[in-house]
């Protein structure tokens, strides 16, 4: 079982030169406590203002069958948003690379081991699915709703600025908006994380130009994907108080992994959009 480490990135593999493992090793997984990054947003574990999850896709998964022949697959992992830990992405990549020269009896054995190790690291049940590389489930599609990227706006804020958000309190609507201009930076390496964000809500009509300025304000922000989505969710709830809200980001793949966190108001289980062409 993986033992969660203290809330520190000092010993995380991210941003450090690492030898790529050739054999399975669950100890490579590096859990990070969610609470530390949630505290500045006023989010408490005992009363989360949202439901949701983190959907990970891994495109570099392979193992050996009992006769030594490689098997390749694409995997989808789903971590619940109320898990006490997220898992640092490079440690996840190193862990999956450890499967490359490891023999498994069948696909079910791979799924069982992945579920056991990832659930132990996250501190909550993680679901695992495996897909063939030509599975139709991997086919991309556009985000639903209205895109706002073509709005003619001037922008000069590149760190999160919730005061930019605006809405019309007298006009209650139900709509879905999206932007492909989301960018944040890794909190360890400073490398850019490119993404798309979808916002579906019922409530006071959002000022679209203001929303676009706000989304772009994350451009120089350093944080994990999951916490960026939670930051956006909390800001929208505080500024516009929608009756119902979904915030989902689909980040571009890095190191064979893409991360797609989503957060929604409690009591709502939204239909999640499909994979994007850029992923």
């Amino acid at each position: 079982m993986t033992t969660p480490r203290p809330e520190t990135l000092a010993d995380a593999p991210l941003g450090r030169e690492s030898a790529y493992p050739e054999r399975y090793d669950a100890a490579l997984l590096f859990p990070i406590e969610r609470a530390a990054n949630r505290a500045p947003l006023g989010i408490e574990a005992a009363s989360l203002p949202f439901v949701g999850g983190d959907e990970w896709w891994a495109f570099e998964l392979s193992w050996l069958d009992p006769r030594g022949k490689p098997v390749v697959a694409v995997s989808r992992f789903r971590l619940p948003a109320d898990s006490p830990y997220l898992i640092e992405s490079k440690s996840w990549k190193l862990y999956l690379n450890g499967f490359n020269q490891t023999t498994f009896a069948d696909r079910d054995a791979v799924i069982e081991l992945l579920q056991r190790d990832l659930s132990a690291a996250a501190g909550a049940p993680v679901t695992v699915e495996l897909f063939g590389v030509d599975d139709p489930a991997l086919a991309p599609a556009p985000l639903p709703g209205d895109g706002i990227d073509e709005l003619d706006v001037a922008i000069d804020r590149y760190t999160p600025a919730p005061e930019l958000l605006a809405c019309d309190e007298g006009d209650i609507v139900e709509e879905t908006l999206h932007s492909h201009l989301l960018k944040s930076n890794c909190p360890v390496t400073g490398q850019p994380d490119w993404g798309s964000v979808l916002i579906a809500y019922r409530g006071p009509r959002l000022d679209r130009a203001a929303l676009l300025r706000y989304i772009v304000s994350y451009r120089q922000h350093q944080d994990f994907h999951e916490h960026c989505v939670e930051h956006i969710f909390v800001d929208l709830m505080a500024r516009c108080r929608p009756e119902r809200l979904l915030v989902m980001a689909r980040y571009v793949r890095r190191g064979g992994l893409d991360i797609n966190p989503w957060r929604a108001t409690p009591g709502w289980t939204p239909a999640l959009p499909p994979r994007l062409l850029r992923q």
Side-chain angles (χ1 to χ4, degrees):
M1 177 178 293
T2 304
T3 301
R5 296 164 172 82
E7 173 48 38
T8 175
L9 293 175
D11 298 320
L14 191 63
R16 304 171 64 186
E17 185 175 346
S18 304
Y20 281 86
E22 294 186 356
R23 297 290 177 182
Y24 159 78
D25 183 1
L28 291 167
L29 291 169
F30 193 96
I32 297 172
E33 191 175 6
R34 294 186 190 267
N37 282 321
R38 286 175 170 174
L41 298 175
I43 299 174
E44 299 181 359
S47 56
L48 292 179
F50 46 66
V51 295
D54 305 329
E55 181 181 287
W56 293 61
W57 287 84
F59 290 82
E60 298 179 5
L61 177 61
S62 182
W63 64 91
L64 302 179
D65 73 11
R67 300 181 64 189
K69 180 182 177 181
V71 182
V72 295
V74 174
S75 52
R76 176 166 60 189
F77 309 104
R78 289 172 169 161
L79 283 72
D82 60 359
S83 66
Y85 301 93
L86 57 83
I87 302 172
E88 189 273 309
S89 60
K90 185 174 181 181
S91 79
W92 199 322
K93 174 180 173 61
L94 294 173
Y95 164 75
L96 292 179
N97 278 328
F99 283 56
N100 293 347
Q101 290 300 117
T102 303
T103 300
F104 291 90
D106 52 34
R107 294 166 70 90
D108 288 343
V110 175
I111 291 174
E112 182 179 354
L113 186 60
L114 288 167
Q115 286 179 330
R116 186 192 73 188
D117 292 344
L118 294 169
S119 298
V126 175
T127 62
V128 179
E129 299 169 89
L130 296 183
F131 300 87
V133 295
D134 294 320
D135 194 303
L138 305 180
L143 283 177
D146 296 340
I148 61 174
D149 293 346
E150 299 305 315
L151 294 173
D152 185 11
V153 298
I155 297 176
D156 60 3
R157 303 288 294 277
Y158 301 107
T159 55
E163 64 274 14
L164 292 173
L165 291 167
C167 55
D168 183 351
E169 296 287 349
D171 189 9
I172 303 300
V173 301
E174 186 167 354
E175 63 179 358
T176 298
L177 308 173
H178 66 257
S179 170
H180 301 296
L181 300 187
L182 178 64
K183 172 190 168 290
S184 54
N185 296 322
C186 171
V188 179
T189 66
Q191 292 184 37
D193 292 320
W194 306 96
S196 301
V197 61
L198 177 139
I199 294 166
Y201 73 99
R202 174 176 171 78
R205 184 185 297 276
L206 291 172
D207 181 316
R208 296 186 178 192
L211 177 62
L212 183 59
R213 292 188 186 97
Y214 170 75
I215 290 169
V216 174
S217 76
Y218 280 78
R219 195 168 180 84
Q220 293 182 329
H221 182 57
Q222 292 190 316
D223 207 346
F224 293 111
H225 305 64
E226 299 91 335
H227 294 132
C228 287
V229 168
E230 293 179 359
H231 199 162
I232 294 170
F233 181 94
V234 168
D235 285 347
L236 284 168
M237 289 299 296
R239 292 279 166 172
C240 293
R241 293 181 170 82
E243 301 171 18
R244 190 171 73 172
L245 175 65
L246 163 68
V247 177
M248 179 176 191
R250 286 201 168 273
Y251 277 91
V252 174
R253 191 183 319 164
R254 188 141 62 85
L257 293 168
D258 64 52
I259 309 172
N260 310 282
W262 66 277
R263 303 292 185 265
T265 45
W268 186 23
T269 305
L272 300 181
R275 299 187 47 74
L276 305 184
L277 186 61
R278 73 191 299 201
Q279 294 182 295

